[in-house]
Amino acid sequence: MSEPIVVVQHITKQVADATGTLTILHDINFELPARESVAIVGASGSGKSTLLSIIAGLDRPTGGQVHLAGTALFDLDEDARAAVRSRKVGFVFQSFQLLANLNALENVMLPLELLGRRDARASAVEMLGRVGLASRLGHYPKVLSGGEQQRVALARAFVVRPAVLLADEPTGSLDFATGAKIMELMFEMNREAGTTLVLVTHDPGIAERCQRQLCIEAGRLVHDR
């Protein structure tokens, strides 16, 4: 049996506030095999997005370890974790996170250029075609609709062929019909690429489409099904 692509071991996150120490995550443990899709669900403030940030190595836990594609993230410094992310992880955010001064093509080329890929332009053009934006390559985010911006974000996430795709409420800024189309596209592309999908959502319908659901309540993993 192959090694899991994501291993979360005894993750705890605490922060200091005016009343003392606040525990955001309590001893979270789970493993994800390659190609699995998992939804992290729970109420607002339960710790879902914090957990996703820790899986990505963007936020450092107070205790515990995350192994991503065989690498222990918190044995590395910040620059080394960033290098792992650039090769292994794709991101899709609720707020799109496109660079306003770059057009659609340039936004999708950027992660490939940072990796020194000579095929950055051709790969970005191909991926934008895959998400239905072949005619919008030169358009800047401000003239794209919300749905189009999220399609650019999907293209940018998948263009590096990531081992793991992390998505944080990807339809949260979209109307229902547009969000449904985006999710259909995301699941299609995920299947095609064989990526492990970790999706934070408050939408039960989206969560049900994943192979597995992890429910977080007040920072604790209360069920895994």
Side-chain angles (χ1 to χ4, degrees):
M1 186 175 177
S2 62
E3 289 292 313
I5 194 78
V6 177
V7 180
V8 174
Q9 297 175 312
H10 302 294
I11 288 296
T12 298
K13 179 66 176 181
Q14 297 175 323
V15 297
D17 66 9
T19 62
T21 300
L22 174 66
T23 301
I24 299 172
L25 295 172
H26 300 256
D27 194 32
I28 304 289
N29 295 275
F30 60 89
E31 298 182 357
L32 303 178
R35 297 175 177 265
E36 186 166 73
S37 59
V38 59
I40 300 175
V41 300
S44 296
S46 59
K48 304 186 302 297
S49 293
T50 299
L51 178 58
L52 199 72
S53 293
I54 289 172
I55 294 171
L58 290 166
D59 192 2
R60 180 178 279 276
T62 306
Q65 182 63 273
V66 173
H67 292 263
L68 183 64
T71 300
L73 289 182
F74 300 108
D75 287 350
L76 306 176
D77 63 21
E78 191 171 334
D79 288 343
R81 290 199 303 274
V84 171
R85 280 194 298 274
S86 69
R87 298 191 307 272
K88 300 291 187 181
V89 182
F91 295 94
V92 181
F93 301 97
Q94 177 177 339
S95 56
F96 317 134
Q97 298 285 351
L98 301 179
L99 296 178
N101 61 325
L102 300 182
N103 63 31
L105 179 60
E106 292 164 342
N107 265 285
V108 178
M109 287 174 61
L110 183 60
L112 297 175
E113 291 176 328
L114 293 173
L115 291 172
R117 290 266 297 270
R118 292 186 175 184
D119 64 340
R121 184 180 182 87
S123 294
V125 168
E126 179 183 356
M127 191 58 70
L128 282 164
R130 172 64 185 85
V131 299
L133 293 178
S135 64
R136 307 286 269 169
L137 305 185
H139 290 72
Y140 288 84
K142 67 180 180 181
V143 299
L144 297 174
S145 68
E148 287 171 333
Q149 289 186 63
Q150 198 62 300
R151 286 172 184 267
V152 174
L154 280 177
R156 180 184 58 189
F158 278 106
V159 77
V160 297
R161 304 293 180 189
V164 179
L165 179 69
L166 303 177
D168 192 358
E169 299 283 9
T171 62
S173 297
L174 304 173
D175 64 75
F176 178 81
T178 302
K181 291 176 182 176
I182 289 295
M183 289 311 304
E184 191 63 42
L185 181 60
M186 176 183 287
F187 280 112
E188 277 180 18
M189 294 177 73
N190 195 64
R191 286 192 297 270
E192 290 169 8
T195 306
T196 302
L197 173 63
V198 185
L199 169 68
V200 166
T201 183
H202 66 276
D203 186 325
I206 292 174
E208 287 292 338
R209 296 192 61 177
C210 293
Q211 295 163 290
R212 186 171 165 195
Q213 294 182 43
L214 305 176
C215 182
I216 307 292
E217 288 184 8
R220 299 181 188 276
L221 179 57
V222 295
H223 73 237
D224 178 350
R225 61 180 176 86

mmCIF file with all atom_site columns, all heavy atoms in Angstrom, residues 106-128:
data_model
loop_
_atom_site.group_PDB
_atom_site.id
_atom_site.type_symbol
_atom_site.label_atom_id
_atom_site.label_alt_id
_atom_site.label_comp_id
_atom_site.label_asym_id
_atom_site.label_entity_id
_atom_site.label_seq_id
_atom_site.pdbx_PDB_ins_code
_atom_site.Cartn_x
_atom_site.Cartn_y
_atom_site.Cartn_z
_atom_site.occupancy
_atom_site.B_iso_or_equiv
_atom_site.pdbx_formal_charge
_atom_site.auth_seq_id
_atom_site.auth_comp_id
_atom_site.auth_asym_id
_atom_site.auth_atom_id
_atom_site.pdbx_PDB_model_num
ATOM 1   N N   . GLU A 1 106 ? -1.010 35.938 -17.561 1.00 0.00 ? 106 GLU A N   1
ATOM 2   C CA  . GLU A 1 106 ? 0.143  36.186 -16.690 1.00 0.00 ? 106 GLU A CA  1
ATOM 3   C C   . GLU A 1 106 ? -0.078 35.617 -15.284 1.00 0.00 ? 106 GLU A C   1
ATOM 4   O O   . GLU A 1 106 ? 0.861  35.114 -14.662 1.00 0.00 ? 106 GLU A O   1
ATOM 5   C CB  . GLU A 1 106 ? 0.433  37.689 -16.623 1.00 0.00 ? 106 GLU A CB  1
ATOM 6   C CG  . GLU A 1 106 ? 0.945  38.247 -17.940 1.00 0.00 ? 106 GLU A CG  1
ATOM 7   C CD  . GLU A 1 106 ? 0.864  39.771 -18.014 1.00 0.00 ? 106 GLU A CD  1
ATOM 8   O OE1 . GLU A 1 106 ? 0.110  40.380 -17.218 1.00 0.00 ? 106 GLU A OE1 1
ATOM 9   O OE2 . GLU A 1 106 ? 1.544  40.349 -18.882 1.00 0.00 ? 106 GLU A OE2 1
ATOM 10  N N   . ASN A 1 107 ? -1.321 35.694 -14.776 1.00 0.00 ? 107 ASN A N   1
ATOM 11  C CA  . ASN A 1 107 ? -1.617 35.112 -13.472 1.00 0.00 ? 107 ASN A CA  1
ATOM 12  C C   . ASN A 1 107 ? -1.376 33.606 -13.474 1.00 0.00 ? 107 ASN A C   1
ATOM 13  O O   . ASN A 1 107 ? -0.852 33.048 -12.499 1.00 0.00 ? 107 ASN A O   1
ATOM 14  C CB  . ASN A 1 107 ? -3.065 35.407 -13.073 1.00 0.00 ? 107 ASN A CB  1
ATOM 15  C CG  . ASN A 1 107 ? -3.206 36.632 -12.187 1.00 0.00 ? 107 ASN A CG  1
ATOM 16  O OD1 . ASN A 1 107 ? -2.886 36.605 -10.997 1.00 0.00 ? 107 ASN A OD1 1
ATOM 17  N ND2 . ASN A 1 107 ? -3.684 37.722 -12.776 1.00 0.00 ? 107 ASN A ND2 1
ATOM 18  N N   . VAL A 1 108 ? -1.751 32.943 -14.561 1.00 0.00 ? 108 VAL A N   1
ATOM 19  C CA  . VAL A 1 108 ? -1.591 31.490 -14.627 1.00 0.00 ? 108 VAL A CA  1
ATOM 20  C C   . VAL A 1 108 ? -0.142 31.106 -14.922 1.00 0.00 ? 108 VAL A C   1
ATOM 21  O O   . VAL A 1 108 ? 0.350  30.077 -14.442 1.00 0.00 ? 108 VAL A O   1
ATOM 22  C CB  . VAL A 1 108 ? -2.554 30.887 -15.672 1.00 0.00 ? 108 VAL A CB  1
ATOM 23  C CG1 . VAL A 1 108 ? -2.374 29.381 -15.793 1.00 0.00 ? 108 VAL A CG1 1
ATOM 24  C CG2 . VAL A 1 108 ? -4.000 31.205 -15.290 1.00 0.00 ? 108 VAL A CG2 1
ATOM 25  N N   . MET A 1 109 ? 0.565  31.929 -15.671 1.00 0.00 ? 109 MET A N   1
ATOM 26  C CA  . MET A 1 109 ? 1.977  31.666 -15.952 1.00 0.00 ? 109 MET A CA  1
ATOM 27  C C   . MET A 1 109 ? 2.856  31.807 -14.719 1.00 0.00 ? 109 MET A C   1
ATOM 28  O O   . MET A 1 109 ? 3.887  31.136 -14.607 1.00 0.00 ? 109 MET A O   1
ATOM 29  C CB  . MET A 1 109 ? 2.497  32.631 -17.024 1.00 0.00 ? 109 MET A CB  1
ATOM 30  C CG  . MET A 1 109 ? 2.010  32.369 -18.419 1.00 0.00 ? 109 MET A CG  1
ATOM 31  S SD  . MET A 1 109 ? 2.544  33.671 -19.595 1.00 0.00 ? 109 MET A SD  1
ATOM 32  C CE  . MET A 1 109 ? 4.340  33.553 -19.492 1.00 0.00 ? 109 MET A CE  1
ATOM 33  N N   . LEU A 1 110 ? 2.454  32.665 -13.788 1.00 0.00 ? 110 LEU A N   1
ATOM 34  C CA  . LEU A 1 110 ? 3.337  33.059 -12.681 1.00 0.00 ? 110 LEU A CA  1
ATOM 35  C C   . LEU A 1 110 ? 3.915  31.875 -11.896 1.00 0.00 ? 110 LEU A C   1
ATOM 36  O O   . LEU A 1 110 ? 5.135  31.810 -11.689 1.00 0.00 ? 110 LEU A O   1
ATOM 37  C CB  . LEU A 1 110 ? 2.611  34.029 -11.756 1.00 0.00 ? 110 LEU A CB  1
ATOM 38  C CG  . LEU A 1 110 ? 3.442  34.580 -10.591 1.00 0.00 ? 110 LEU A CG  1
ATOM 39  C CD1 . LEU A 1 110 ? 4.658  35.348 -11.107 1.00 0.00 ? 110 LEU A CD1 1
ATOM 40  C CD2 . LEU A 1 110 ? 2.575  35.488 -9.714  1.00 0.00 ? 110 LEU A CD2 1
ATOM 41  N N   . PRO A 1 111 ? 3.090  30.920 -11.421 1.00 0.00 ? 111 PRO A N   1
ATOM 42  C CA  . PRO A 1 111 ? 3.692  29.821 -10.649 1.00 0.00 ? 111 PRO A CA  1
ATOM 43  C C   . PRO A 1 111 ? 4.675  28.984 -11.460 1.00 0.00 ? 111 PRO A C   1
ATOM 44  O O   . PRO A 1 111 ? 5.652  28.464 -10.909 1.00 0.00 ? 111 PRO A O   1
ATOM 45  C CB  . PRO A 1 111 ? 2.486  28.990 -10.198 1.00 0.00 ? 111 PRO A CB  1
ATOM 46  C CG  . PRO A 1 111 ? 1.369  29.385 -11.096 1.00 0.00 ? 111 PRO A CG  1
ATOM 47  C CD  . PRO A 1 111 ? 1.617  30.805 -11.482 1.00 0.00 ? 111 PRO A CD  1
ATOM 48  N N   . LEU A 1 112 ? 4.451  28.871 -12.769 1.00 0.00 ? 112 LEU A N   1
ATOM 49  C CA  . LEU A 1 112 ? 5.385  28.133 -13.620 1.00 0.00 ? 112 LEU A CA  1
ATOM 50  C C   . LEU A 1 112 ? 6.683  28.910 -13.801 1.00 0.00 ? 112 LEU A C   1
ATOM 51  O O   . LEU A 1 112 ? 7.776  28.330 -13.798 1.00 0.00 ? 112 LEU A O   1
ATOM 52  C CB  . LEU A 1 112 ? 4.743  27.852 -14.981 1.00 0.00 ? 112 LEU A CB  1
ATOM 53  C CG  . LEU A 1 112 ? 3.505  26.961 -14.964 1.00 0.00 ? 112 LEU A CG  1
ATOM 54  C CD1 . LEU A 1 112 ? 2.911  26.860 -16.362 1.00 0.00 ? 112 LEU A CD1 1
ATOM 55  C CD2 . LEU A 1 112 ? 3.842  25.576 -14.426 1.00 0.00 ? 112 LEU A CD2 1
ATOM 56  N N   . GLU A 1 113 ? 6.565  30.224 -13.954 1.00 0.00 ? 113 GLU A N   1
ATOM 57  C CA  . GLU A 1 113 ? 7.763  31.055 -14.091 1.00 0.00 ? 113 GLU A CA  1
ATOM 58  C C   . GLU A 1 113 ? 8.607  31.001 -12.824 1.00 0.00 ? 113 GLU A C   1
ATOM 59  O O   . GLU A 1 113 ? 9.847  30.967 -12.885 1.00 0.00 ? 113 GLU A O   1
ATOM 60  C CB  . GLU A 1 113 ? 7.360  32.491 -14.417 1.00 0.00 ? 113 GLU A CB  1
ATOM 61  C CG  . GLU A 1 113 ? 6.774  32.651 -15.803 1.00 0.00 ? 113 GLU A CG  1
ATOM 62  C CD  . GLU A 1 113 ? 6.278  34.052 -16.086 1.00 0.00 ? 113 GLU A CD  1
ATOM 63  O OE1 . GLU A 1 113 ? 5.822  34.734 -15.143 1.00 0.00 ? 113 GLU A OE1 1
ATOM 64  O OE2 . GLU A 1 113 ? 6.352  34.468 -17.250 1.00 0.00 ? 113 GLU A OE2 1
ATOM 65  N N   . LEU A 1 114 ? 7.958  30.973 -11.670 1.00 0.00 ? 114 LEU A N   1
ATOM 66  C CA  . LEU A 1 114 ? 8.695  30.893 -10.414 1.00 0.00 ? 114 LEU A CA  1
ATOM 67  C C   . LEU A 1 114 ? 9.436  29.561 -10.278 1.00 0.00 ? 114 LEU A C   1
ATOM 68  O O   . LEU A 1 114 ? 10.452 29.480 -9.572  1.00 0.00 ? 114 LEU A O   1
ATOM 69  C CB  . LEU A 1 114 ? 7.739  31.077 -9.231  1.00 0.00 ? 114 LEU A CB  1
ATOM 70  C CG  . LEU A 1 114 ? 7.117  32.474 -9.098  1.00 0.00 ? 114 LEU A CG  1
ATOM 71  C CD1 . LEU A 1 114 ? 6.067  32.500 -7.993  1.00 0.00 ? 114 LEU A CD1 1
ATOM 72  C CD2 . LEU A 1 114 ? 8.190  33.526 -8.832  1.00 0.00 ? 114 LEU A CD2 1
ATOM 73  N N   . LEU A 1 115 ? 8.933  28.534 -10.969 1.00 0.00 ? 115 LEU A N   1
ATOM 74  C CA  . LEU A 1 115 ? 9.618  27.238 -10.988 1.00 0.00 ? 115 LEU A CA  1
ATOM 75  C C   . LEU A 1 115 ? 10.662 27.147 -12.100 1.00 0.00 ? 115 LEU A C   1
ATOM 76  O O   . LEU A 1 115 ? 11.329 26.124 -12.238 1.00 0.00 ? 115 LEU A O   1
ATOM 77  C CB  . LEU A 1 115 ? 8.592  26.111 -11.166 1.00 0.00 ? 115 LEU A CB  1
ATOM 78  C CG  . LEU A 1 115 ? 7.655  25.849 -9.991  1.00 0.00 ? 115 LEU A CG  1
ATOM 79  C CD1 . LEU A 1 115 ? 6.569  24.859 -10.385 1.00 0.00 ? 115 LEU A CD1 1
ATOM 80  C CD2 . LEU A 1 115 ? 8.431  25.338 -8.781  1.00 0.00 ? 115 LEU A CD2 1
ATOM 81  N N   . GLY A 1 116 ? 10.779 28.216 -12.904 1.00 0.00 ? 116 GLY A N   1
ATOM 82  C CA  . GLY A 1 116 ? 11.745 28.217 -13.986 1.00 0.00 ? 116 GLY A CA  1
ATOM 83  C C   . GLY A 1 116 ? 11.334 27.404 -15.197 1.00 0.00 ? 116 GLY A C   1
ATOM 84  O O   . GLY A 1 116 ? 12.196 27.001 -15.998 1.00 0.00 ? 116 GLY A O   1
ATOM 85  N N   . ARG A 1 117 ? 10.041 27.190 -15.368 1.00 0.00 ? 117 ARG A N   1
ATOM 86  C CA  . ARG A 1 117 ? 9.551  26.361 -16.471 1.00 0.00 ? 117 ARG A CA  1
ATOM 87  C C   . ARG A 1 117 ? 9.589  27.132 -17.789 1.00 0.00 ? 117 ARG A C   1
ATOM 88  O O   . ARG A 1 117 ? 9.008  28.221 -17.906 1.00 0.00 ? 117 ARG A O   1
ATOM 89  C CB  . ARG A 1 117 ? 8.128  25.906 -16.171 1.00 0.00 ? 117 ARG A CB  1
ATOM 90  C CG  . ARG A 1 117 ? 8.018  24.892 -15.042 1.00 0.00 ? 117 ARG A CG  1
ATOM 91  C CD  . ARG A 1 117 ? 8.019  23.475 -15.569 1.00 0.00 ? 117 ARG A CD  1
ATOM 92  N NE  . ARG A 1 117 ? 6.860  23.252 -16.420 1.00 0.00 ? 117 ARG A NE  1
ATOM 93  C CZ  . ARG A 1 117 ? 5.682  22.802 -15.984 1.00 0.00 ? 117 ARG A CZ  1
ATOM 94  N NH1 . ARG A 1 117 ? 5.504  22.548 -14.691 1.00 0.00 ? 117 ARG A NH1 1
ATOM 95  N NH2 . ARG A 1 117 ? 4.691  22.610 -16.822 1.00 0.00 ? 117 ARG A NH2 1
ATOM 96  N N   . ARG A 1 118 ? 10.214 26.569 -18.784 1.00 0.00 ? 118 ARG A N   1
ATOM 97  C CA  . ARG A 1 118 ? 10.302 27.224 -20.089 1.00 0.00 ? 118 ARG A CA  1
ATOM 98  C C   . ARG A 1 118 ? 8.991  27.160 -20.864 1.00 0.00 ? 118 ARG A C   1
ATOM 99  O O   . ARG A 1 118 ? 8.776  27.928 -21.797 1.00 0.00 ? 118 ARG A O   1
ATOM 100 C CB  . ARG A 1 118 ? 11.415 26.571 -20.919 1.00 0.00 ? 118 ARG A CB  1
ATOM 101 C CG  . ARG A 1 118 ? 12.812 26.824 -20.375 1.00 0.00 ? 118 ARG A CG  1
ATOM 102 C CD  . ARG A 1 118 ? 13.857 26.281 -21.320 1.00 0.00 ? 118 ARG A CD  1
ATOM 103 N NE  . ARG A 1 118 ? 15.201 26.610 -20.886 1.00 0.00 ? 118 ARG A NE  1
ATOM 104 C CZ  . ARG A 1 118 ? 16.302 26.318 -21.565 1.00 0.00 ? 118 ARG A CZ  1
ATOM 105 N NH1 . ARG A 1 118 ? 16.201 25.654 -22.723 1.00 0.00 ? 118 ARG A NH1 1
ATOM 106 N NH2 . ARG A 1 118 ? 17.481 26.653 -21.107 1.00 0.00 ? 118 ARG A NH2 1
ATOM 107 N N   . ASP A 1 119 ? 8.141  26.221 -20.479 1.00 0.00 ? 119 ASP A N   1
ATOM 108 C CA  . ASP A 1 119 ? 6.867  26.058 -21.179 1.00 0.00 ? 119 ASP A CA  1
ATOM 109 C C   . ASP A 1 119 ? 5.742  26.821 -20.491 1.00 0.00 ? 119 ASP A C   1
ATOM 110 O O   . ASP A 1 119 ? 4.566  26.521 -20.700 1.00 0.00 ? 119 ASP A O   1
ATOM 111 C CB  . ASP A 1 119 ? 6.498  24.576 -21.252 1.00 0.00 ? 119 ASP A CB  1
ATOM 112 C CG  . ASP A 1 119 ? 6.259  23.966 -19.864 1.00 0.00 ? 119 ASP A CG  1
ATOM 113 O OD1 . ASP A 1 119 ? 6.723  24.542 -18.864 1.00 0.00 ? 119 ASP A OD1 1
ATOM 114 O OD2 . ASP A 1 119 ? 5.598  22.909 -19.786 1.00 0.00 ? 119 ASP A OD2 1
ATOM 115 N N   . ALA A 1 120 ? 6.084  27.826 -19.679 1.00 0.00 ? 120 ALA A N   1
ATOM 116 C CA  . ALA A 1 120 ? 5.083  28.512 -18.863 1.00 0.00 ? 120 ALA A CA  1
ATOM 117 C C   . ALA A 1 120 ? 3.946  29.073 -19.710 1.00 0.00 ? 120 ALA A C   1
ATOM 118 O O   . ALA A 1 120 ? 2.764  28.871 -19.390 1.00 0.00 ? 120 ALA A O   1
ATOM 119 C CB  . ALA A 1 120 ? 5.736  29.627 -18.046 1.00 0.00 ? 120 ALA A CB  1
ATOM 120 N N   . ARG A 1 121 ? 4.280  29.755 -20.784 1.00 0.00 ? 121 ARG A N   1
ATOM 121 C CA  . ARG A 1 121 ? 3.232  30.392 -21.592 1.00 0.00 ? 121 ARG A CA  1
ATOM 122 C C   . ARG A 1 121 ? 2.330  29.352 -22.267 1.00 0.00 ? 121 ARG A C   1
ATOM 123 O O   . ARG A 1 121 ? 1.099  29.442 -22.182 1.00 0.00 ? 121 ARG A O   1
ATOM 124 C CB  . ARG A 1 121 ? 3.851  31.308 -22.648 1.00 0.00 ? 121 ARG A CB  1
ATOM 125 C CG  . ARG A 1 121 ? 2.800  32.071 -23.456 1.00 0.00 ? 121 ARG A CG  1
ATOM 126 C CD  . ARG A 1 121 ? 3.421  32.989 -24.498 1.00 0.00 ? 121 ARG A CD  1
ATOM 127 N NE  . ARG A 1 121 ? 2.388  33.717 -25.202 1.00 0.00 ? 121 ARG A NE  1
ATOM 128 C CZ  . ARG A 1 121 ? 1.866  34.872 -24.804 1.00 0.00 ? 121 ARG A CZ  1
ATOM 129 N NH1 . ARG A 1 121 ? 2.284  35.429 -23.675 1.00 0.00 ? 121 ARG A NH1 1
ATOM 130 N NH2 . ARG A 1 121 ? 0.932  35.472 -25.509 1.00 0.00 ? 121 ARG A NH2 1
ATOM 131 N N   . ALA A 1 122 ? 2.938  28.365 -22.891 1.00 0.00 ? 122 ALA A N   1
ATOM 132 C CA  . ALA A 1 122 ? 2.144  27.356 -23.595 1.00 0.00 ? 122 ALA A CA  1
ATOM 133 C C   . ALA A 1 122 ? 1.254  26.581 -22.616 1.00 0.00 ? 122 ALA A C   1
ATOM 134 O O   . ALA A 1 122 ? 0.077  26.304 -22.910 1.00 0.00 ? 122 ALA A O   1
ATOM 135 C CB  . ALA A 1 122 ? 3.068  26.397 -24.350 1.00 0.00 ? 122 ALA A CB  1
ATOM 136 N N   . SER A 1 123 ? 1.790  26.230 -21.455 1.00 0.00 ? 123 SER A N   1
ATOM 137 C CA  . SER A 1 123 ? 1.004  25.479 -20.474 1.00 0.00 ? 123 SER A CA  1
ATOM 138 C C   . SER A 1 123 ? -0.143 26.317 -19.927 1.00 0.00 ? 123 SER A C   1
ATOM 139 O O   . SER A 1 123 ? -1.250 25.811 -19.711 1.00 0.00 ? 123 SER A O   1
ATOM 140 C CB  . SER A 1 123 ? 1.905  25.008 -19.329 1.00 0.00 ? 123 SER A CB  1
ATOM 141 O OG  . SER A 1 123 ? 2.849  24.067 -19.783 1.00 0.00 ? 123 SER A OG  1
ATOM 142 N N   . ALA A 1 124 ? 0.125  27.613 -19.707 1.00 0.00 ? 124 ALA A N   1
ATOM 143 C CA  . ALA A 1 124 ? -0.922 28.498 -19.195 1.00 0.00 ? 124 ALA A CA  1
ATOM 144 C C   . ALA A 1 124 ? -2.031 28.695 -20.223 1.00 0.00 ? 124 ALA A C   1
ATOM 145 O O   . ALA A 1 124 ? -3.221 28.705 -19.872 1.00 0.00 ? 124 ALA A O   1
ATOM 146 C CB  . ALA A 1 124 ? -0.321 29.841 -18.786 1.00 0.00 ? 124 ALA A CB  1
ATOM 147 N N   . VAL A 1 125 ? -1.660 28.866 -21.488 1.00 0.00 ? 125 VAL A N   1
ATOM 148 C CA  . VAL A 1 125 ? -2.663 29.008 -22.552 1.00 0.00 ? 125 VAL A CA  1
ATOM 149 C C   . VAL A 1 125 ? -3.536 27.751 -22.619 1.00 0.00 ? 125 VAL A C   1
ATOM 150 O O   . VAL A 1 125 ? -4.771 27.830 -22.700 1.00 0.00 ? 125 VAL A O   1
ATOM 151 C CB  . VAL A 1 125 ? -1.978 29.260 -23.909 1.00 0.00 ? 125 VAL A CB  1
ATOM 152 C CG1 . VAL A 1 125 ? -2.985 29.123 -25.062 1.00 0.00 ? 125 VAL A CG1 1
ATOM 153 C CG2 . VAL A 1 125 ? -1.335 30.639 -23.946 1.00 0.00 ? 125 VAL A CG2 1
ATOM 154 N N   . GLU A 1 126 ? -2.904 26.588 -22.547 1.00 0.00 ? 126 GLU A N   1
ATOM 155 C CA  . GLU A 1 126 ? -3.649 25.328 -22.600 1.00 0.00 ? 126 GLU A CA  1
ATOM 156 C C   . GLU A 1 126 ? -4.609 25.212 -21.418 1.00 0.00 ? 126 GLU A C   1
ATOM 157 O O   . GLU A 1 126 ? -5.766 24.819 -21.582 1.00 0.00 ? 126 GLU A O   1
ATOM 158 C CB  . GLU A 1 126 ? -2.671 24.156 -22.590 1.00 0.00 ? 126 GLU A CB  1
ATOM 159 C CG  . GLU A 1 126 ? -3.347 22.796 -22.619 1.00 0.00 ? 126 GLU A CG  1
ATOM 160 C CD  . GLU A 1 126 ? -2.351 21.652 -22.536 1.00 0.00 ? 126 GLU A CD  1
ATOM 161 O OE1 . GLU A 1 126 ? -1.132 21.906 -22.539 1.00 0.00 ? 126 GLU A OE1 1
ATOM 162 O OE2 . GLU A 1 126 ? -2.809 20.495 -22.468 1.00 0.00 ? 126 GLU A OE2 1
ATOM 163 N N   . MET A 1 127 ? -4.145 25.570 -20.223 1.00 0.00 ? 127 MET A N   1
ATOM 164 C CA  . MET A 1 127 ? -4.982 25.421 -19.039 1.00 0.00 ? 127 MET A CA  1
ATOM 165 C C   . MET A 1 127 ? -6.136 26.416 -19.044 1.00 0.00 ? 127 MET A C   1
ATOM 166 O O   . MET A 1 127 ? -7.247 26.075 -18.627 1.00 0.00 ? 127 MET A O   1
ATOM 167 C CB  . MET A 1 127 ? -4.130 25.588 -17.783 1.00 0.00 ? 127 MET A CB  1
ATOM 168 C CG  . MET A 1 127 ? -4.848 25.187 -16.502 1.00 0.00 ? 127 MET A CG  1
ATOM 169 S SD  . MET A 1 127 ? -5.447 23.469 -16.467 1.00 0.00 ? 127 MET A SD  1
ATOM 170 C CE  . MET A 1 127 ? -3.898 22.573 -16.347 1.00 0.00 ? 127 MET A CE  1
ATOM 171 N N   . LEU A 1 128 ? -5.903 27.623 -19.513 1.00 0.00 ? 128 LEU A N   1
ATOM 172 C CA  . LEU A 1 128 ? -7.003 28.591 -19.608 1.00 0.00 ? 128 LEU A CA  1
ATOM 173 C C   . LEU A 1 128 ? -8.035 28.141 -20.632 1.00 0.00 ? 128 LEU A C   1
ATOM 174 O O   . LEU A 1 128 ? -9.239 28.364 -20.460 1.00 0.00 ? 128 LEU A O   1
ATOM 175 C CB  . LEU A 1 128 ? -6.462 29.983 -19.935 1.00 0.00 ? 128 LEU A CB  1
ATOM 176 C CG  . LEU A 1 128 ? -5.851 30.700 -18.731 1.00 0.00 ? 128 LEU A CG  1
ATOM 177 C CD1 . LEU A 1 128 ? -4.987 31.874 -19.182 1.00 0.00 ? 128 LEU A CD1 1
ATOM 178 C CD2 . LEU A 1 128 ? -6.943 31.204 -17.782 1.00 0.00 ? 128 LEU A CD2 1
#
